[in-house]
Every structure is written in structure tokens, then in C-alpha cells.
């Protein structure tokens, strides 16, 4: 989609009500393209307009399916912004001083927190609307959804939504909410299954350290060897994505080096785990394969 | 062109590859939590915070601050709680803590100093506004509730109705519940600034 067509699309979206399946399908396709090109503000605007004021009352099963996928795309849009390229402005100045009434108004800084809140609003919509689309799972969806979406089972899309919610709540430090989400996702308890779910649901790189961190916090009080694996994976993915919090990064490093009851050592050469290295500094064995031992022997 | 290839080409979209259910399908046995809104109180490390909207705040201030001062008042409690609370030194300064109210659609409102809000209402009401504002000082385990005032001026597109903010965007109205919104601010704990956020109760 070329840039100059976007305003026309938005205008068309605003003027046509009720929308038919074909129009909505086109909007979903264009919104996806915008997300892929990181034109996130335009994607959010297009999707919200497409849903329209009466989004709570979809006309039929097909419209329900389209509405659900639009909500999922809005979640994806806002988390991509929150953990990558925020566009919603903060009310703070870039220096954090929101109170200097005499100063000239500086340009507002973008707010990742605002995007987390907005994403969670659409998470709720996707969950609510998902109930309505189960029956459409097996329907012929080619006329309803663009090619990139028509292979997506709504349940997989909802799993993505749940993972996005987990990342947002971990980012906002609502640990109770993280626990509630994890309670329904046993699959996240094993690192390899967690990796598989994140891969199959195409979770963005920026969310991954937050998801692993949330699972780490869940296991740390009760199963430290298991928590260690999630801590290492969180640090690995944080190094790639650069969207992780400094406080959380420090927490993980301190836990590995001091707070855990165990010392984690390379099974080959007994080198201690180093939170900034993801393989043994001596023999290059992956840190994920390190084994727990008594802390005392490490001193 | 196969469907799989199309998906790869577009390079997008949730879970496109795993559409065929199987025993190894990681989503087969998921249940989905309903985590609507945000908790209206939270313990984050040693810092405990709570926030609430009081629809009868006019009885507190003697004036409806939403109608008279274009301000959304939120009552906030911040205190220390937990092991180490007596040794920790945490500092709160409402004029320096960058407080914001984040509405459910991501719209942010900045907090105003109490003196600026007081200037928008009659003097006798202004005194109450300043007196009941969240206080500056060291946090203790017995922090008292104080008010933060979020600025609605300049937001002609926002309309407050009880615990709901209506946001007009492109000719449409979003109904945003305050219990799906957040208050965020910074606390200085043992010399380090850390952000804190909490939901809004009633």
C-alpha cells in the first residue's frame, strides 16, 4: 500500500457502514502491511476505524471472525510499539519533569507504558470476541481473511494475545496478573515448550525477555533449577532485543550470582555461570546446560 | 503458490505456521485468564501504592473539580511495606515525580501542582486542594492518602462521566473506564529512581 492511499483508506473506512466482508478483508490486509512496515500509528488508526462504533455487534459469523482478528492485530500493533517503536505521547517532558509550568512546552516523549495499557484494552476485546468465533474455526475463511491470516487458528491467535498480555503485565510489574495468566498456560513451565509456543505464535523479539522473566519470577520461589533456565533465556533474548528493563536485568544477574540457593556451574569444567555470558567462558558449553550445586562450594 | 509460502512471504501475523492441530500443538491445552483492568493497589519491592477515584470528591473539596477546574482528582496512597521498611529511605515529591494518568486507550494526562489547581477555583476551595494534595517527604510505613490532580484542560475531546472517560476520536466515542487506566509516577528509593504504576479503584 502506498503512503498516499492511506488517507483515502481511512476515509473510506469512516464512510462505509455497515462494512461488508470484502471491505473488512481489505482493511485487515492493509493493516498487516502497515504493521510489517512499522507504520504502527497508521495501522492502529485503520483498524480502529474498521471496527467502527458498533464493533460489539458483529453481523454474522464471518464478521465475528474478522472482528476478532482485527482486535488481535491491534494487540500486535500496540505491543510492537510498546516493545520497539512507541508513538503514543507521554504527558511527561523528555526530562521527566512534568511540572515546570513556566518552561516552553517540549516535544512529548513517546510512552511504552501507554502502549501496554492500550494493548491490554484490545486483549480484553480479543478474549471477549474469541468466544464468538470458535464455531467459525473450520469455516471457509478465504473470503474473510487475507492470505497471511487465513491459516491462523483463532486459538493460536488467542495464545499470542495471552502472551502479549503476559509481557505487558510483566513490564508494568503486575505480578499477580502474570501469575493468573501463567496458571492457565502450563505449557510455559517447560523451557522447550515455551520456546515452541513463542515461535509458533510469532511473538515479537521485543516481548520475549519479558515473557521469560515473568515465568522466571513464577518459578524462582519454588523451583530454582527451572527458574535458572528462564533467567538465562530472558537475558539471552534481552541482549538481542534491547527492550528489557535495567531493574529486571539487575534482578536476574543478582539472582544468578547471589540470591539463588544454588551455584550454577558448567558440568564440563565447573566454571560458574556468568549472567553476561551465555556459554561457558572456558569450554563454550551453553549456560542453559549448567547444573545447580551447593552455593557453599562456589565460594 | 502454497499457503505456507504466502505466509512466509508476507512475514507477518500471529501463529500463521501452526494451523493444523496435532498432539504436539502447544496451544491445545491452554486456558485463558480474564485479567481485565489493573489492581488498584500494588506492592512493588518495598513500595506499596494504591489509587482510587472518588465520585463524591466534591464533598472533599467543596467543589466538583472536574466541572470547575478541568481536573481529574485521584486519591493516592504511597508507603513502605515489608522487610527493611524501617531502614529504607524513599523520597516522594509530587512536583518532581512525573505523575501521569494513562487512560485505557493510551491517552496520557499530566499531573498539575496543587497550587495551579487551587488557582482555578475559589480561594476557600483552593485551600482544601492544596491541603489535601499528596505530600512531599520521606515515605514511611504509615503514609497517608493524598490527592493528585490530572489536567483535563486542553483535552476538549475528553468528557468525564463518573468512573468513565469518553474520548472522541475521529467522530467516534471511546468509553474508557478508569478501572482500566493507570496512575504512574517515580519514587526515589535508596537514592535510585524507580517507576511505579497502579490501577484505579473506587
Amino acid at each position: 500500500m502506498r503512503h498516499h492511499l492511506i488517507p483515502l483508506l481511512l476515509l473510506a473506512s469512516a464512510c462505509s457502514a455497515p462494512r461488508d466482508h470484502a471491505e473488512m478483508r481489505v482493511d485487515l490486509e492493509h493493516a498487516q502491511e502497515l504493521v510489517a512496515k512499522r507504520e504502527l500509528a497508521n495501522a492502529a488508526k485503520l483498524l480502529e476505524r474498521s471496527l467502527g462504533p458498533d464493533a460489539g455487534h458483529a453481523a454474522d459469523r464471518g464478521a465475528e471472525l474478522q472482528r476478532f482478528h482485527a482486535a488481535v492485530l491491534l494487540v500486535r500493533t500496540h505491543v510492537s510499539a510498546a516493545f520497539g517503536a512507541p508513538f503514543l505521547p507521554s504527558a511527561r517532558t523528555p526530562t521527566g519533569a512534568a511540572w515546570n509550568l513556566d518552561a516552553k512546552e517540549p516535544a512529548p516523549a513517546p510512552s511504552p507504558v501507554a502502549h501496554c495499557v492500550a494493548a491490554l484494552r484490545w486483549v480484553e476485546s480479543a478474549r471477549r470476541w474469541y468466544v464468538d468465533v470458535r464455531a467459525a474455526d473450520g469455516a471457509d475463511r478465504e473470503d474473510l481473511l487475507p492470505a497471511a491470516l487465513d491459516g491462523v487458528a483463532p486459538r493460536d491467535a488467542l495464545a499470542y494475545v495471552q502472551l502479549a498480555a503476559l509481557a505487558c503485565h510483566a513490564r508494568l510489574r503486575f505480578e499477580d496478573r502474570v501469575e493468573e495468566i501463567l496458571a492457565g498456560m502450563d505449557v510455559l513451565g517447560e523451557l522447550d515448550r515455551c520456546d515452541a509456543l513463542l515461535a509458533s505464535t510469532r511473538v515479537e523479539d521485543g516481548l520475549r525477555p519479558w515473557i521469560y522473566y515473568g515465568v522466571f519470577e513464577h518459578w524462582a520461589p519454588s523451583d530454582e533449577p527451572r527458574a535458572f533456565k528462564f533467567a538465562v533465556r530472558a537475558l539471552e533474548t534481552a541482549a538481542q532485543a534491547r527492550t528489557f528493563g535495567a531493574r529486571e536485568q539487575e534482578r536476574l544477574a543478582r539472582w544468578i550470582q547471589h540470591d539463588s540457593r544454588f551455584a550454577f556451574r558448567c558440568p564440563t569444567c565447573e566454571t560458574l555461570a556468568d549472567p553476561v555470558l551465555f556459554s561457558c567462558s572456558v569450554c563454550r558449553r551453553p549456560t542453559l546446560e549448567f547444573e545447580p550445586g551447593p552455593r557453599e562450594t562456589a565460594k | 503458490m502454497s499457503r505456507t509460502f504466502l505466509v512466509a512471504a508476507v512475514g507477518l501475523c500471529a501463529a500463521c505456521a501452526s494451523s493444523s492441530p496435532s498432539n504436539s500443538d502447544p496451544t491445545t491445552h491452554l486456558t485463558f485468564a480474564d485479567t481485565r483492568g489493573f489492581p488498584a493497589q500494588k506492592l512493588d519491592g518495598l513500595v506499596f501504592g494504591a489509587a482510587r477515584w472518588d465520585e463524591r470528591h466534591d464533598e472533599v473539596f467543596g467543589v466538583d473539580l472536574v466541572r470547575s477546574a478541568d481536573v481529574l482528582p485521584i486519591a493516592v496512597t504511597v508507603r513502605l511495606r515489608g522487610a527493611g521498611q524501617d531502614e529504607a529511605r524513599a523520597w516522594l515529591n509530587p512536583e518532581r515525580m512525573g505523575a501521569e494518568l494513562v487512560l485505557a486507550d493510551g491517552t496520557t494526562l499530566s499531573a498539575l501542582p496543587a497550587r495551579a489547581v487551587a488557582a482555578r477555583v475559589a480561594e476557600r476551595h483552593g485551600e482544601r486542594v492544596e491541603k489535601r494534595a499528596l505530600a512531599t517527604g520521606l515515605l514511611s510505613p504509615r503514609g497517608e492518602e493524598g490527592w493528585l490532580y490530572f489536567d483535563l484542560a486542553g483535552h476538549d475531546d475528553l468528557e468525564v462521566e463518573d468512573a468513565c472517560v469518553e474520548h472522541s476520536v475521529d467522530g467516534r466515542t471511546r468509553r474508557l473506564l478508569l478501572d482500566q487506566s493507570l496512575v504512574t509516577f517515580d519514587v526515589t528509593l535508596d537514592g535510585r529512581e524507580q517507576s511505579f504504576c497502579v490501577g484505579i479503584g473506587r
Side-chain angles (χ1 to χ4, degrees):
Chain A
M1 178 56 47
R2 293 179 193 282
H3 287 260
H4 65 270
L5 287 180
I6 292 168
L8 291 176
L9 265 170
L10 296 176
L11 185 63
S13 302
C15 298
S16 56
R19 306 184 59 67
D20 64 24
H21 293 162
E23 287 175 314
M24 188 65 174
R25 183 186 184 283
V26 168
D27 283 354
L28 286 169
E29 188 161 18
H30 292 154
Q32 278 202 299
E33 289 170 1
L34 292 170
V35 173
K37 290 191 296 189
R38 313 294 285 173
E39 293 182 30
L40 301 174
N42 284 332
K45 196 175 244 188
L46 175 58
L47 287 163
E48 285 209 44
R49 288 204 188 211
S50 297
L51 281 168
D54 55 353
H57 308 283
D60 54 43
R61 285 288 183 198
E64 287 173 356
L65 186 68
Q66 291 179 320
R67 179 182 64 172
F68 168 73
H69 278 287
V72 174
L73 259 182
L74 273 160
V75 173
R76 190 173 285 276
T77 301
H78 280 293
V79 295
S80 295
F83 299 98
F87 60 86
L88 289 173
S90 165
R92 297 181 181 207
T93 67
T95 59
W99 293 66
N100 188 350
L101 298 176
D102 301 324
K104 284 185 181 174
E105 195 170 311
S111 171
V113 170
H115 283 289
C116 284
V117 174
L120 288 166
R121 173 171 170 249
W122 289 109
V123 163
E124 293 312 319
S125 296
R127 279 199 196 115
R128 195 165 64 247
W129 296 340
Y130 169 69
V131 175
D132 299 328
V133 300
R134 283 178 185 157
D137 253 354
D140 179 8
R141 300 186 299 176
E142 289 185 4
D143 295 334
L144 301 173
L145 300 173
L149 282 178
D150 75 356
V152 182
R155 190 166 182 78
D156 288 346
L158 193 61
Y160 167 79
V161 163
Q162 198 78 350
L163 291 166
L166 199 164
C168 289
H169 282 300
R171 167 71 176 76
L172 299 173
R173 302 182 68 85
F174 284 110
E175 291 171 10
D176 292 350
R177 287 284 191 260
V178 171
E179 287 295 323
E180 287 170 34
I181 294 169
L182 288 174
M185 303 185 87
D186 287 348
V187 64
L188 297 181
E190 301 296 334
L191 184 61
D192 54 348
R193 296 176 72 201
C194 183
D195 288 343
L197 182 63
L198 268 58
S200 70
T201 53
R202 298 285 197 271
V203 166
E204 292 84 353
D205 289 347
L207 280 71
R208 291 176 184 236
W210 292 98
I211 293 169
Y212 291 118
Y213 178 78
V215 185
F216 158 80
E217 287 288 12
H218 172 76
W219 288 115
S222 60
D223 189 341
E224 295 192 17
R226 191 191 301 237
F228 172 74
K229 292 183 184 299
F230 285 95
V232 172
R233 187 68 95 211
L235 290 167
E236 281 177 351
T237 51
Q240 293 159 8
R242 301 186 183 282
T243 58
F244 203 39
R247 208 172 143 199
E248 288 75 12
Q249 193 130 4
E250 282 178 27
R251 154 90 172 125
L252 292 174
R254 195 175 60 244
W255 184 86
I256 289 171
Q257 291 181 308
H258 305 291
D259 295 349
S260 171
R261 288 182 297 118
F262 297 102
F264 295 90
R265 293 173 171 277
C266 173
T268 306
C269 62
E270 301 218 329
T271 302
L272 276 170
D274 183 333
V276 300
L277 300 175
F278 308 119
S279 61
C280 177
S281 59
V282 176
C283 70
R284 298 291 165 201
R285 193 157 179 175
T287 307
L288 275 174
E289 295 176 8
F290 281 26
E291 294 175 350
R295 172 70 67 186
E296 289 73 27
T297 59
K299 290 176 181 172
Chain B
M1 186 183 297
S2 72
R3 179 172 298 172
T4 307
F5 181 77
L6 266 175
V7 169
V10 175
L12 250 188
C13 146
C16 6
S18 61
S19 57
S20 56
S22 69
N23 290 338
S24 60
D25 179 353
T27 66
T28 304
H29 301 295
L30 302 180
T31 56
F32 299 103
D34 179 358
T35 51
R36 199 170 312 153
F38 300 103
Q41 48 181 254
K42 185 173 82 170
L43 183 64
D44 184 355
L46 280 179
V47 180
F48 169 86
R52 67 179 181 89
W53 155 253
D54 187 344
E55 62 190 70
R56 299 197 298 181
H57 73 268
D58 56 333
E59 294 176 10
V60 176
F61 299 105
V63 64
D64 184 332
L65 291 178
V66 175
R67 309 277 172 251
S68 304
D70 249 354
V71 157
L72 189 64
I74 300 290
V76 175
T77 305
V78 192
R79 60 171 70 119
L80 295 177
R81 182 185 285 182
Q85 65 181 22
D86 296 323
E87 295 78 38
R89 289 181 65 81
W91 181 258
L92 192 70
N93 180 353
E95 299 214 8
R96 290 279 180 273
M97 67 187 201
E100 288 180 291
L101 193 153
V102 185
L103 295 172
D105 66 348
T107 301
T108 53
L109 305 177
S110 63
L112 278 175
R115 65 179 181 281
V117 180
R120 295 183 183 182
V121 295
E123 190 175 349
R124 65 183 189 283
H125 301 137
E127 287 172 3
R128 289 194 198 182
V129 165
E130 293 200 65
K131 187 178 173 187
R132 294 176 192 278
L134 190 65
T136 297
L138 282 173
L139 290 183
S140 76
R142 288 193 297 277
E144 291 184 3
E145 185 177 79
W147 293 77
L148 287 172
Y149 308 103
F150 294 97
D151 196 6
L152 291 163
H155 291 278
D156 295 338
D157 48 349
L158 298 180
E159 191 73 35
V160 180
E161 287 296 334
D162 192 11
C164 176
V165 178
E166 294 189 344
H167 188 186
S168 300
V169 182
D170 300 327
R172 301 171 196 276
T173 301
R174 300 171 181 166
R175 285 180 53 79
L176 309 170
L177 300 176
L178 283 180
D179 67 6
Q180 294 180 324
S181 306
L182 278 185
V183 171
T184 77
F185 51 86
D186 294 334
V187 178
T188 306
L189 179 63
D190 291 331
R192 293 187 65 178
E193 205 165 72
Q194 66 180 54
S195 62
F196 185 92
C197 63
V198 65
I200 301 169
R202 299 176 76 172

